[in-house]
Amino acid sequence: MKFKVLPILLHSPKELTGVINCHFLIRKLLDIRKFLIVASASTLILSGCSSIEQKSPQGYNDVIASETAIYSWTAKGQMLFSCAYDEAGFYWRFERSEGSLRNDKGQKMADLLPDLSIRDRDGHILKIAAYKTGKRKHPESLKNLLYKVTSAPNSGIFKGMHYVERRNALGGQPLSKCSAVQKEQLLRVPFEARYIFWR
């Protein structure tokens, strides 16, 4: 970004009596300094806003076309499964997830609760439900998923949220089937993903 240099408007020669008006020059320099600070701050703010991709690569754009990506956090946690049985045989049945969400500075922003809701640091709860399923990055990874917000708090960082997107998940899926000797046993599978919050 190019900055325009503000001209320093000096008094006319008649007003200069051999001694430079230092107070006048200082005021002008301070004006320039304020201008540069504001311009630099604006650049940082705009670059921060544009750091979150405003289009989903998962084909959800028809849903979120009028939405704005507000937060992009890293989720780390575990998916819990229990060994169950039906007419097709034994399988790992999903029970719940648990984990936390952190920003790019490593600061904890929220917790992933067992009922799929998300709780921020101040205790506000964002309730979500699976809405659209995308592709998975690897066979052993969770699918990309768009959640629809079913209940948003009236205050806090989750106020007014409409959708939450799980993107680029790694892990979270059992690597093998369970067997009779594992019936009712729990399996914890670590995962990592990117969570995008849309408003």
Side-chain angles (χ1 to χ4, degrees):
M1 178 181 289
K2 295 182 179 180
F3 298 105
K4 293 183 179 179
V5 178
L6 296 179
I8 300 178
L9 302 176
L10 297 175
H11 288 280
S12 64
K14 291 182 180 180
E15 295 175 297
L16 300 177
T17 58
V19 179
I20 297 176
N21 189 333
C22 292
H23 293 293
F24 176 78
L25 289 175
I26 290 172
R27 286 199 304 270
K28 291 298 180 183
L29 289 172
L30 287 176
D31 288 341
I32 294 175
R33 183 183 177 189
K34 289 178 182 177
F35 170 78
L36 294 175
I37 290 174
V38 171
S40 299
S42 299
T43 302
L44 289 173
I45 291 171
L46 289 174
S47 63
C49 292
S50 60
S51 63
I52 304 178
E53 187 178 354
Q54 294 298 315
K55 286 188 177 181
S56 171
Q58 307 304 326
Y60 307 138
N61 292 320
D62 58 328
V63 179
I64 59 175
S66 61
E67 307 291 325
T68 301
I70 305 298
Y71 308 122
S72 177
W73 298 335
T74 297
K76 288 186 178 181
Q78 297 177 330
M79 292 290 177
L80 276 69
F81 301 84
S82 64
C83 185
Y85 180 83
D86 61 14
E87 63 270 7
F90 288 94
Y91 68 100
W92 289 111
R93 180 177 60 201
F94 174 73
E95 296 291 341
R96 63 186 183 275
S97 61
E98 55 187 29
S100 62
L101 292 162
R102 296 180 182 271
N103 62 18
D104 290 341
K105 295 181 180 180
Q107 299 169 322
K108 184 178 177 181
M109 305 304 294
D111 290 304
L112 299 174
L113 302 181
D115 62 352
L116 290 183
S117 60
I118 304 173
R119 179 180 60 213
D120 71 13
R121 295 181 298 182
D122 297 321
H124 300 108
I125 302 293
L126 185 72
K127 294 183 178 181
I128 58 177
Y131 185 64
K132 274 196 171 186
T133 304
K135 298 179 180 179
R136 65 177 85 244
K137 197 169 185 178
H138 304 288
E140 69 275 10
S141 298
L142 298 168
K143 289 183 177 181
N144 292 313
L145 189 61
L146 183 67
Y147 298 94
K148 188 173 184 178
V149 173
T150 58
S151 178
N154 295 323
S155 59
I157 59 176
F158 291 150
K159 180 180 179 180
M161 290 296 170
H162 297 149
Y163 297 95
V164 179
E165 180 185 358
R166 186 179 71 198
R167 185 187 298 181
N168 298 332
L170 293 174
Q173 285 286 99
L175 299 180
S176 60
K177 293 183 178 180
C178 67
S179 61
V181 296
Q182 296 172 302
K183 187 177 180 180
E184 297 183 356
Q185 289 185 11
L186 286 178
L187 175 69
R188 299 174 183 269
V189 185
F191 79 96
E192 182 174 339
R194 198 73 176 176
Y195 273 57
I196 315 295
F197 292 77
W198 298 87
R199 180 165 60 202

